[in-house]
Amino acid sequence: MNSDKKNSPIIVIDSKSGFCFGVSKAIQTAEAHLQQGTGLASLGDIVHNEEEIKRLQAEGLHSIDWAKLASSSSPKVLFRAHGEPPSSYEAIKASGKEVVDATCPVVLKLQQRIHKAWQEARATNGQIVIYGKKNHAEVIGLCGHTNNEAIVVQTSDDLQLVDPAKKTILFAQTTMSNHGLVEIEQLLRSHLYKTEDLTVHKTICAQVGNRVPHLKKFAQQHPLIIFVGGKKSSNGKVLYEVCRAANPQTYFVSAVEELQPAWFNAAPTSIGICGATSTPQWLMETVAENIRTLLTTRL
Ligand code: SF4
């Protein structure tokens, strides 16, 4: 907490914002391999934060997609925290490259649970439903562990894909909102012929779920909130909306250049800075530093 000058607002960085342990672990794994100097390619961006990607690129990490796999000079391919379907492990092996598996342990466990539930569902003519975003990497990975038979439900429109006569096992992508999961659960119960045919596994990651009530409070404690997150971060969008609902004076930035002087015209007594599970601590500190400079040059 800092009070820079008399009459300057206090700038507070939320102590609970920033990388979750799954993202931290993936980045530590990448950095450990980069230090060996053999080259490392990440299959997709390692974290949904453009600024952190730039930092890791400078250390030698580059992102590839499947089309660039063959031309990549790196002998190692990192699987990020989101995880991958079994077919990805087979494809990397077939390419002669080595997998560096940085799948988050929480996602890994979820993949195993979904796979087991899918095997049981097959034996009883049941079905697996995943509440999540259709093209999100984690969901693609999860579906792969059901031979792509799981039904992905993102909104009520997708319920038509669910057979109302079958026993149904519901899971959630780890970064969805608890509130959204409750809604989908209720909709599914009324969609199925027998409500007792639904089994729900509440698999939203505690690293995300616990941040929601905390951020609500944090956003209400400061007249102005600057939310720092990557433009592609699913978790960032959820948590930004939580802050904005609690405090309409909440602004989203993905880089310091996006800070707008007009946001500070109302001379708030304090400014809260917070972020997503993919937001690096150094970026929130840089944003705080830039706000201090901006306010100081105005005085
Ligand atoms: S949000 Fe949770 S599940 Fe997702 S990477 Fe972080 S710790 Fe793992």
Side-chain angles (χ1 to χ4, degrees), residues 50 70 91 134 147 161 206 294:
E50 301 81 9
K134 287 197 177 120
N147 196 30
L161 304 168
L294 198 146

PDB file of all heavy atoms in Angstrom, residues 50 70 91 134 147 161 206 294:
ATOM      1  N   GLU A  50      -0.622 -11.076 -23.037  1.00  0.00           N
ATOM      2  CA  GLU A  50       0.283 -10.690 -24.118  1.00  0.00           C
ATOM      3  C   GLU A  50       1.628 -10.184 -23.584  1.00  0.00           C
ATOM      4  O   GLU A  50       2.683 -10.446 -24.171  1.00  0.00           O
ATOM      5  CB  GLU A  50      -0.367  -9.600 -24.989  1.00  0.00           C
ATOM      6  CG  GLU A  50      -1.705  -9.995 -25.629  1.00  0.00           C
ATOM      7  CD  GLU A  50      -2.920  -9.862 -24.695  1.00  0.00           C
ATOM      8  OE1 GLU A  50      -2.763  -9.295 -23.586  1.00  0.00           O
ATOM      9  OE2 GLU A  50      -4.014 -10.347 -25.041  1.00  0.00           O
ATOM     10  N   ALA A  70       5.914 -29.049 -37.698  1.00  0.00           N
ATOM     11  CA  ALA A  70       6.976 -29.692 -38.471  1.00  0.00           C
ATOM     12  C   ALA A  70       8.137 -28.737 -38.736  1.00  0.00           C
ATOM     13  O   ALA A  70       9.308 -29.144 -38.735  1.00  0.00           O
ATOM     14  CB  ALA A  70       6.407 -30.212 -39.788  1.00  0.00           C
ATOM     15  N   ALA A  91       0.481 -37.354 -31.324  1.00  0.00           N
ATOM     16  CA  ALA A  91       0.991 -36.608 -32.484  1.00  0.00           C
ATOM     17  C   ALA A  91       2.402 -36.066 -32.237  1.00  0.00           C
ATOM     18  O   ALA A  91       3.247 -36.093 -33.145  1.00  0.00           O
ATOM     19  CB  ALA A  91       0.042 -35.456 -32.818  1.00  0.00           C
ATOM     20  N   LYS A 134     -16.928 -23.691 -26.020  1.00  0.00           N
ATOM     21  CA  LYS A 134     -16.726 -24.740 -27.031  1.00  0.00           C
ATOM     22  C   LYS A 134     -15.314 -24.860 -27.587  1.00  0.00           C
ATOM     23  O   LYS A 134     -14.800 -25.931 -27.724  1.00  0.00           O
ATOM     24  CB  LYS A 134     -17.697 -24.508 -28.176  1.00  0.00           C
ATOM     25  CG  LYS A 134     -19.070 -24.868 -27.730  1.00  0.00           C
ATOM     26  CD  LYS A 134     -20.023 -25.062 -28.865  1.00  0.00           C
ATOM     27  CE  LYS A 134     -21.329 -25.488 -28.266  1.00  0.00           C
ATOM     28  NZ  LYS A 134     -22.449 -24.642 -28.515  1.00  0.00           N
ATOM     29  N   ASN A 147     -13.251 -39.421 -25.999  1.00  0.00           N
ATOM     30  CA  ASN A 147     -13.324 -39.744 -27.426  1.00  0.00           C
ATOM     31  C   ASN A 147     -14.191 -38.718 -28.161  1.00  0.00           C
ATOM     32  O   ASN A 147     -14.873 -39.033 -29.125  1.00  0.00           O
ATOM     33  CB  ASN A 147     -13.896 -41.164 -27.602  1.00  0.00           C
ATOM     34  CG  ASN A 147     -13.645 -41.724 -28.979  1.00  0.00           C
ATOM     35  OD1 ASN A 147     -12.643 -41.392 -29.621  1.00  0.00           O
ATOM     36  ND2 ASN A 147     -14.565 -42.542 -29.469  1.00  0.00           N
ATOM     37  N   LEU A 161     -28.857 -30.303 -27.483  1.00  0.00           N
ATOM     38  CA  LEU A 161     -27.926 -31.387 -27.825  1.00  0.00           C
ATOM     39  C   LEU A 161     -27.976 -32.522 -26.803  1.00  0.00           C
ATOM     40  O   LEU A 161     -27.442 -33.599 -27.028  1.00  0.00           O
ATOM     41  CB  LEU A 161     -26.486 -30.837 -27.883  1.00  0.00           C
ATOM     42  CG  LEU A 161     -26.241 -29.658 -28.829  1.00  0.00           C
ATOM     43  CD1 LEU A 161     -24.881 -29.042 -28.572  1.00  0.00           C
ATOM     44  CD2 LEU A 161     -26.347 -30.133 -30.278  1.00  0.00           C
ATOM     45  N   ALA A 206     -10.929 -23.856  -7.376  1.00  0.00           N
ATOM     46  CA  ALA A 206     -11.032 -22.994  -6.194  1.00  0.00           C
ATOM     47  C   ALA A 206     -10.199 -21.723  -6.376  1.00  0.00           C
ATOM     48  O   ALA A 206     -10.521 -20.669  -5.834  1.00  0.00           O
ATOM     49  CB  ALA A 206     -10.571 -23.752  -4.959  1.00  0.00           C
ATOM     50  N   LEU A 294       1.553   9.278 -13.605  1.00  0.00           N
ATOM     51  CA  LEU A 294       0.509  10.081 -14.255  1.00  0.00           C
ATOM     52  C   LEU A 294      -0.110  11.091 -13.267  1.00  0.00           C
ATOM     53  O   LEU A 294      -0.288  12.262 -13.597  1.00  0.00           O
ATOM     54  CB  LEU A 294      -0.558   9.104 -14.729  1.00  0.00           C
ATOM     55  CG  LEU A 294      -1.552   9.528 -15.764  1.00  0.00           C
ATOM     56  CD1 LEU A 294      -1.879   8.316 -16.635  1.00  0.00           C
ATOM     57  CD2 LEU A 294      -2.817  10.044 -15.179  1.00  0.00           C
TER      58      LEU A 294
END
